[in-house]
Amino acid sequence: MAEYVNEEAFFNAIYNFQIPEIPSDTRFWMIRTKKGYFYQEFLEKQFVALAWNNITKSTDFGNPESLNDSILMDYPEIKRPSLVINKCKNFINEISPNDILVIPSAGSKFITFAYAGEYFEEESKTVELEQTVINRIEHGEVVISEVACPYRKRRHITIIRTIPSDIVNHHLYKAITSYHGISNLDEHGTYILDHLFNYYTYKNNTRFVFHVGKTDPITSKEFSGFLYNANVFLTAIGIDDSAISTQASVQSIGDIIYNIKDLGQFLSDNYLWFIAIFVVLGGGKFLTVELPGLPNIIKNILSISDERKFSKEKLTEKSSIMLFALSSFKKK
């Protein structure tokens, strides 16, 4: 039986409604899991780690020649020690708390997104232990469940969500399949955020992500109808058409994304419109509980004693445009 949000909580949510604003200095990193061997441990114990235990927070990075020699002594398989040094510097010094990490499982079948936390070291993890464990992994002497991560350099994490790789944006997935133990993914930041939020603002752009759940082929009429009617809705409520751009990745299941520049003040003056959009984006849910349908939501919004409320005719007309455009894409 559906659980409906009570009126007071609903109105409070509307008055306190905000689109998440991602800090412009947020950075994005991929941390690999040694062929997936450490993936489950990372998630269960909520940390990530990086190899090359002879480099620590006390390492003098100002003497690269000596550091190169040290790496070649302990890890003779390394061909380009400068790359190792840069990865360790990034992990220790460049990742900041609340940066977003991308953590792939074995074979990148699942992708976990997490906020980075503080750096720390597990001093019991020595170079010798690391070499022993990694050697056994490389020679297939252990299975994933039998081995613990031997890396010293670590960071706490807060897990955001895990998704299967078959719904990951193909540009992002290509970057994730990179071999490197740690990679910077700043250029793919919006693709990452698109998987984490239905709507958000980042670097003066507000993005609305419509997750297409239909598994059957999408007809050209459905696709063009959605794009046209969604654009009609956005321009009808006063957004300049030149500020709107669209991108789509819809292999039946995929995303359609609307990007709007400099929404700022317009959003603060017209936020009730966007609540109607987001209820549709969330499949009829708000405050994590099911709502009693968009027509009743519109009715409740109109009853709010607020100088910014809209006329019933305008709100019903413009919301029905969006509902019509979305109807074909909400099928599972």
Side-chain angles (χ1 to χ4, degrees), residues 10 14 17 19 199 208 210 233-234 237 267 270-286 291 293-299 301-302 310 314-324 326 330:
F10 177 70
I14 289 176
F17 172 77
I19 289 184
Y199 45 89
F208 305 142
F210 296 84
F233 178 89
L234 293 171
I237 62 175
L267 180 60
N270 298 274
Y271 73 113
L272 296 180
W273 293 113
F274 291 94
I275 290 176
I277 298 175
F278 302 148
V279 168
V280 176
L281 283 175
K285 292 189 176 182
F286 194 56
L291 295 171
L294 193 56
N296 285 335
I297 291 171
I298 294 171
K299 179 180 177 181
I301 288 175
L302 290 168
F310 301 90
K314 289 184 65 179
L315 186 56
T316 303
E317 175 189 357
K318 294 174 182 177
S319 297
S320 64
I321 293 172
M322 178 60 81
L323 281 173
F324 173 77
L326 284 167
K330 299 305 292 183

Side-chain angles (χ1 to χ4, degrees), residues 12-287:
N12 286 338
I14 289 176
Y15 283 126
N16 297 321
F17 172 77
Q18 290 184 326
I19 289 184
E21 184 166 352
I22 311 304
S24 60
D25 60 353
T26 299
R27 304 195 68 188
F28 304 85
W29 308 87
M30 184 196 66
I31 308 293
R32 296 196 69 83
T33 57
K34 191 57 182 178
K35 303 178 182 178
Y37 270 80
F38 309 140
Y39 175 78
Q40 202 59 42
E41 182 181 3
F42 285 178
L43 269 56
E44 290 177 357
K45 297 183 178 179
Q46 299 204 23
F47 74 92
V48 290
L50 190 67
W52 308 298
N53 286 354
N54 67 345
I55 297 181
T56 71
K57 61 184 177 182
S58 61
T59 296
D60 180 9
F61 291 105
N63 190 350
E65 291 185 3
S66 175
L67 196 49
N68 283 351
D69 292 341
S70 173
I71 292 170
L72 293 174
M73 286 284 290
D74 289 328
Y75 307 95
E77 73 279 5
I78 298 298
K79 305 302 181 185
R80 300 175 64 185
S82 60
L83 292 180
V84 169
I85 295 171
N86 286 333
K87 292 178 189 303
C88 292
K89 286 173 63 177
N90 284 338
F91 190 82
I92 296 171
N93 298 323
E94 297 301 319
I95 296 179
S96 298
N98 295 319
D99 281 356
I100 295 177
L101 307 181
V102 179
I103 309 166
S105 70
S108 298
K109 293 181 179 179
F110 293 92
I111 308 299
T112 292
F113 301 92
Y115 290 116
E118 296 292 340
Y119 175 83
F120 69 102
E121 293 183 1
E122 182 56 64
E123 295 184 3
S124 66
K125 308 301 183 181
T126 63
V127 172
E128 293 73 25
L129 175 64
E130 176 189 20
Q131 290 171 333
T132 299
V133 171
I134 299 305
N135 185 63
R136 295 184 69 195
I137 291 174
E138 295 293 347
H139 289 84
E141 298 176 2
V142 290
V143 297
I144 288 179
S145 60
E146 295 177 344
V147 63
C149 176
Y151 299 154
R152 175 171 177 160
K153 294 183 292 296
R154 303 184 172 203
R155 278 190 175 273
H156 297 291
I157 61 171
T158 300
I159 295 172
I160 306 171
R161 69 178 304 206
T162 298
I163 62 174
S165 61
D166 58 4
I167 67 171
V168 173
N169 176 279
H170 68 280
H171 295 293
L172 178 58
Y173 184 77
K174 185 176 180 180
I176 288 172
T177 55
S178 163
Y179 175 80
H180 304 293
I182 175 175
S183 301
N184 180 261
L185 297 180
D186 285 352
E187 63 180 304
H188 303 286
T190 53
Y191 294 134
I192 293 170
L193 294 172
D194 289 345
H195 286 297
L196 301 182
F197 302 96
N198 281 346
Y199 45 89
Y200 65 92
T201 296
Y202 176 59
K203 294 185 176 179
N204 295 321
N205 289 283
T206 300
R207 289 167 73 88
F208 305 142
V209 183
F210 296 84
H211 302 286
V212 178
K214 185 177 179 181
T215 56
D216 297 329
I218 298 171
T219 68
S220 59
K221 183 178 181 180
E222 289 173 334
F223 185 63
S224 61
F226 174 90
L227 295 179
Y228 174 77
N229 286 296
N231 197 78
V232 166
F233 178 89
L234 293 171
T235 55
I237 62 175
I239 297 175
D240 191 331
D241 184 68
S242 64
I244 304 170
S245 60
T246 310
Q247 65 188 63
S249 176
V250 284
Q251 298 79 20
S252 286
I253 294 179
D255 296 328
I256 299 175
I257 300 162
Y258 276 79
N259 186 84
I260 303 177
K261 292 182 177 293
D262 301 320
L263 198 55
Q265 187 58 47
F266 178 88
L267 180 60
S268 66
D269 292 339
N270 298 274
Y271 73 113
L272 296 180
W273 293 113
F274 291 94
I275 290 176
I277 298 175
F278 302 148
V279 168
V280 176
L281 283 175
K285 292 189 176 182
F286 194 56
L287 290 175

Side-chain angles (χ1 to χ4, degrees), residues 292-311:
L294 193 56
N296 285 335
I297 291 171
I298 294 171
K299 179 180 177 181
N300 288 339
I301 288 175
L302 290 168
S303 71
I304 297 174
S305 176
D306 188 282
E307 68 275 8
R308 289 177 291 183
K309 71 180 181 180
F310 301 90
S311 72

